[in-house]
Amino acid sequence: MKAFIKCIAVGLTAASLLTLGGCAQNNSTKKTATTANWNVRTSTSVESNMLGYWQSHAEVAEYDVSFTEGSNNSYSVTYDAPNATYSTRFYAEAAYDWTSSPVPAEYRVNAETEGALTAEPVYVYETSSKISGTYKMKSSGEEKAFSDEITAVCKYRLAGKNLQPVYSKQIIKNTAPNAAGTNNIEQAYIETDAVYETWYNQDGTQALISFTNNLAEDKTAQISKIGTNHKNGYSLFDNCQLRAAVRAFTMTGGATRIFNVLTPQDNTTYTATATISSPIELRTSDETEKKIIDALNASTPDDYIFFDSSPTEEGDDKVRNYRYNAVSIAVNAQLKGATPTCWYTSVENADLNTTRSVMIKYTTPLPFILGTLSYSLKSLNVKAI
């Protein structure tokens, strides 16, 4: 349990690579269906036809960061949200080579074996976050300033192959809340400065994890191997891939999706549940939601617009209505914790998916009533690479 709590703390940060709360167990054993919701048409055949486009283009999303301070009686944490950055980048690579390095020797495929899958296209999802802030004791006024930075990359198979991860790397410099109540500022937070690198075998049944602790005197990488299929029947996602994977779900209001999440920080696979809301319309009367609408309307290039028509001309009073599905994500465990919520633009028509299920907002409560971090879409562009 102690290791899991640490994992939760690591997730509740500026980058929020994985932030999950607890909920009740569920015994469903069905895989979660995934579709290529980033394409105008989401079928498996269209996905294959679109790979050339995603090998030469990257979808880049940037987010505004905001923070609402909590009401912990012992200490507080504040973030310099106006100067924080958070961004994601999504594209594809033509071939992930299973036959040679950097794939670990035991996971490589023999190219001489008849019928062996030696290479395949994969998607790449990158996230980057920078944020600074201060912990402050309410009794003594003692403070601890910090500056965090987290970057992550995950490579995973096509939606037609259930987005199974093949590789991830997370570089984490993070200062996370560590106690519900304390009079000692050194006990209020936990610092991490580490690199996690994970390779998956082709069947997705095993993972090899390399962990380097930059705060330790001995910075030699520690290698561990874990099985990933001890909860048979569920889809498997890497924790730094999670929000990209949820984007591929069928967003049916009131539905739940159950899946496994490998967390290299704990050398563990957890089962999680995503609960999906019915579509909700973005409001121009809300300042944050109006900014999201403006970002969607301004998305580029022209072949990635969010409507099946030309952009609204200047002076046109037509209102473009966007709807989204809110998705809350929780670990199925006895530990109770804060549950993050992601907003994805609703897929109203799978045959003409003009909104592409883009993540437009992400809200994560910090533990111990310390506040809430929110990330709202600021810009969305597709750039040639």
Side-chain angles (χ1 to χ4, degrees):
M1 184 64 72
K2 182 178 180 181
F4 184 47
I5 292 173
K6 181 179 178 181
C7 170
I8 293 292
V10 168
L12 289 162
T13 63
S16 298
L17 295 173
L18 175 63
T19 308
L20 300 173
C23 68
Q25 292 284 353
N26 189 306
N27 294 321
S28 173
T29 57
K30 295 181 179 179
K31 280 189 176 293
T32 301
T34 54
T35 53
N37 287 336
W38 39 89
N39 295 326
V40 170
R41 290 175 176 80
T42 63
S43 68
T44 301
S45 60
V46 171
E47 179 182 30
S48 299
N49 293 335
M50 286 297 296
L51 285 176
Y53 180 83
W54 289 116
Q55 289 162 18
S56 59
H57 295 79
E59 177 194 83
V60 180
E62 297 181 340
Y63 296 82
D64 285 322
V65 184
S66 62
F67 177 67
T68 302
E69 190 171 345
S71 56
N72 185 296
N73 292 325
S74 298
Y75 66 102
S76 65
V77 59
T78 56
Y79 290 96
D80 182 15
N83 292 311
T85 63
Y86 179 74
S87 63
T88 66
R89 191 166 179 257
F90 167 82
Y91 58 98
E93 290 183 350
Y96 183 81
D97 186 358
W98 286 101
T99 67
S100 61
S101 179
V103 176
E106 60 194 291
Y107 291 167
R108 291 175 199 165
V109 173
N110 187 345
E112 303 301 320
T113 302
E114 184 177 355
L117 177 61
T118 57
E120 61 180 311
V122 293
Y123 292 120
V124 183
Y125 181 65
E126 300 172 352
T127 60
S128 176
S129 175
K130 294 182 181 180
I131 197 168
S132 59
T134 304
Y135 285 88
K136 184 176 181 179
M137 302 306 301
K138 292 190 174 180
S139 58
S140 66
E142 189 178 4
E143 295 183 351
K144 160 68 177 181
F146 62 88
S147 182
D148 291 348
E149 181 173 356
I150 301 179
T151 60
V153 59
C154 186
K155 298 183 179 183
Y156 49 93
R157 306 171 97 172
L158 306 188
K161 294 187 176 181
N162 210 219
L163 303 181
Q164 178 188 312
V166 297
Y167 171 80
S168 73
K169 184 176 184 179
Q170 303 180 41
I171 304 174
I172 300 175
K173 184 179 180 182
N174 173 59
T175 313
N178 190 50
T182 178
N183 292 319
N184 184 342
I185 194 168
E186 298 300 327
Q187 297 175 354
Y189 61 87
I190 181 170
E191 292 182 302
T192 301
D193 187 349
V195 179
Y196 297 88
E197 201 164 7
T198 306
W199 294 266
Y200 296 82
N201 67 352
Q202 196 171 89
D203 293 334
T205 57
Q206 266 189 9
L208 195 67
I209 301 171
S210 170
F211 164 59
T212 303
N213 183 0
N214 293 325
L215 296 177
E217 183 175 342
D218 182 3
K219 296 179 176 57
T220 304
Q222 302 175 28
I223 307 297
S224 59
K225 183 193 298 183
I226 66 170
T228 64
N229 64 334
H230 65 285
K231 298 171 183 176
N232 289 321
Y234 295 108
S235 304
L236 174 71
F237 306 119
D238 189 278
N239 71 336
C240 68
Q241 167 205 10
L242 184 57
R243 290 190 296 278
V246 173
R247 180 183 185 180
F249 292 178
T250 301
M251 301 292 183
T252 303
T256 58
R257 308 282 182 247
I258 302 168
F259 48 90
N260 287 334
V261 180
L262 186 141
T263 306
Q265 289 84 356
D266 284 349
N267 281 2
T268 302
T269 301
Y270 295 106
T271 301
T273 297
T275 303
I276 301 168
S277 78
S278 297
I280 304 168
E281 190 167 305
L282 284 170
R283 302 163 297 170
T284 56
S285 59
D286 181 276
E287 182 180 354
T288 297
E289 294 181 25
K290 176 62 166 60
K291 289 181 179 179
I292 294 172
I293 292 171
D294 291 343
L296 292 173
N297 286 342
S299 63
T300 59
D302 288 344
D303 59 359
Y304 200 71
I305 62 172
F306 283 78
F307 285 85
D308 195 29
S309 62
S310 299
T312 302
E313 295 180 2
E314 186 177 353
D316 190 343
D317 292 330
K318 177 182 177 183
V319 177
R320 293 176 168 178
N321 296 322
Y322 294 96
R323 299 205 297 171
Y324 66 89
N325 296 92
V327 183
S328 60
I329 305 170
V331 162
N332 295 347
Q334 297 303 315
L335 176 67
K336 303 297 180 183
T339 300
T341 301
C342 302
W343 293 7
Y344 296 88
T345 51
S346 299
V347 177
E348 307 283 12
N349 182 342
D351 291 328
L352 191 60
N353 178 26
T354 53
T355 56
R356 299 173 187 258
S357 196
V358 170
M359 189 182 78
I360 56 174
K361 189 175 179 180
Y362 175 58
T363 302
T364 176
L366 274 67
F368 317 130
I369 328 174
L370 283 166
T372 301
L373 276 164
S374 295
Y375 308 82
S376 302
L377 186 69
K378 178 170 63 175
S379 67
L380 179 71
N381 299 291
V382 175
K383 303 178 180 181
I385 53 177

